[in-house]
Amino acid sequence: MSEAVPADLAEELIGRRLDTMPALPRTVFLLRHLDGLDVAAIGARLGIGIEVVEQELARAMRVLVFGVDEPTCDPGRLGGDRAW
């Protein structure tokens, strides 16, 4: 069982990852999780489609959780669809 991360350390890590995140996913993430806007409201405010909002939210979560700005699994690298 893993131990909980101290709150101050978690806040520091999240802050650093938000600082390094590209502008669009950071903005979408903050509008969703700090301002509480839904994806339709975020899309309307930024002039982007709901699908783009959802993609950028997923991108932001990858950066926050894994510290990377790319999908963790690329079927092309694994030999295409047959690899699954």
Side-chain angles (χ1 to χ4, degrees), residues 28-47:
V28 168
F29 179 84
L30 293 174
L31 288 171
R32 177 73 181 116
H33 294 285
L34 261 52
D35 295 347
L37 299 180
D38 62 24
V39 294
I42 295 168
R45 178 177 285 189
L46 299 179

Side-chain angles (χ1 to χ4, degrees), residues 3-71:
E3 295 182 31
V5 175
D8 58 338
L9 181 61
E11 286 180 25
E12 179 183 336
L13 179 61
I14 291 169
R16 279 188 280 146
R17 289 190 176 171
L18 279 170
D19 288 344
T20 63
M21 191 180 295
L24 184 57
R26 181 178 57 243
T27 300
V28 168
F29 179 84
L30 293 174
L31 288 171
R32 177 73 181 116
H33 294 285
L34 261 52
D35 295 347
L37 299 180
D38 62 24
V39 294
I42 295 168
R45 178 177 285 189
L46 299 179
I48 58 178
I50 292 173
E51 297 82 15
V52 175
V53 173
E54 291 170 344
Q55 290 168 359
E56 295 303 322
L57 282 171
R59 184 177 177 196
M61 291 306 294
R62 280 195 305 273
V63 173
L64 290 175
V65 174
F66 301 111
V68 296
D69 186 20
E70 61 184 42

